[in-house]
């Protein structure tokens, strides 16, 4: 298939496919007149790239998944290098969640303090209840 068809079937643009190509992730063949041609395996590779990008992976993180697919595996996440990337990314997400939890607790405490201060100020300006 030509680049336009691959882009359409993968739900992306020809420019994006060329970008992936410059980063060594997509490998087109060439016709005698220089047109890029792709086989079905490249469609699977592009789907893998797009799904990993969608969850925050960078192009360097994606390389082992593409290599795993090119090695003939049905899934890009079964090879040792892919598993290592998944473990590292999971550790990054866990760390981020821990930091977010800390920020959430601080915001909650600050809000509780602000509400208490406001209620105290309101009681002082109103005077004692009768």
């Amino acid at each position: 298939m030509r680049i336009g068809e691959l882009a359409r079937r993968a739900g992306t643009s020809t420019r994006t496919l060329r970008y992936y190509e410059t980063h060594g992730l997509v490998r087109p063949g060439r016709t005698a007149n220089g047109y890029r041609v792709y086989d079905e395996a490249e469609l699977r590779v592009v789907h893998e790239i797009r799904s990993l990008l969608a969850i925050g992976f960078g192009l360097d993180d994606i390389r082992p998944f593409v290599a795993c697919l090119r090695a003939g595996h049905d899934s890009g996440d079964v090879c040792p290098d892919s598993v290592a990337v998944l473990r590292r990314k999971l550790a990054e997400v866990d760390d981020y969640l821990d930091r977010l939890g800390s920020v959430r607790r601080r915001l909650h405490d600050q809000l509780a303090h602000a509400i208490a201060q406001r209620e105290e100020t309101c009681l002082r300006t109103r005077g004692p209840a009768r």
Side-chain angles (χ1 to χ4, degrees):
M1 79 188 89
R2 301 250 308 262
I3 192 169
E5 181 182 352
L6 177 61
R8 182 184 55 73
R9 290 180 61 192
T12 192
S13 67
T14 57
R15 182 177 178 179
T16 298
L17 294 175
R18 286 186 203 100
Y19 178 76
Y20 296 160
E21 181 184 346
T22 62
H23 284 83
L25 296 172
V26 174
R27 295 182 189 161
R30 296 283 180 164
T31 63
N33 58 1
Y35 287 110
R36 290 172 174 87
V37 290
Y38 302 87
D39 59 21
E40 289 295 319
E42 290 305 302
L43 178 61
R44 175 69 183 101
V45 166
V46 173
H47 282 301
E48 184 83 3
I49 292 168
R50 291 180 50 78
S51 69
L52 292 168
L53 287 171
I55 59 172
F57 282 53
L59 292 181
D60 286 337
D61 293 327
I62 292 171
R63 290 183 197 291
F65 296 85
V66 171
C68 193
L69 287 174
R70 291 198 192 290
H73 296 280
D74 290 335
S75 176
D77 59 5
V78 298
C79 296
D81 290 344
S82 302
V83 171
V85 171
L86 289 170
R87 284 188 174 128
R88 182 177 49 77
K89 288 303 244 178
L90 184 59
E92 288 173 11
V93 169
D94 287 342
D95 180 57
Y96 190 63
L97 288 173
D98 289 344
R99 287 185 282 140
L100 280 176
S102 176
V103 168
R104 186 183 189 287
R105 284 186 296 278
R106 288 175 48 204
L107 288 171
H108 183 270
D109 293 346
Q110 189 172 354
L111 177 60
H113 178 74
I115 290 170
Q117 289 289 117
R118 183 167 183 248
E119 288 173 358
E120 199 176 290
T121 302
C122 287
L123 284 175
R124 269 191 258 133
T125 58
R126 280 193 202 147
R130 299 179 201 198

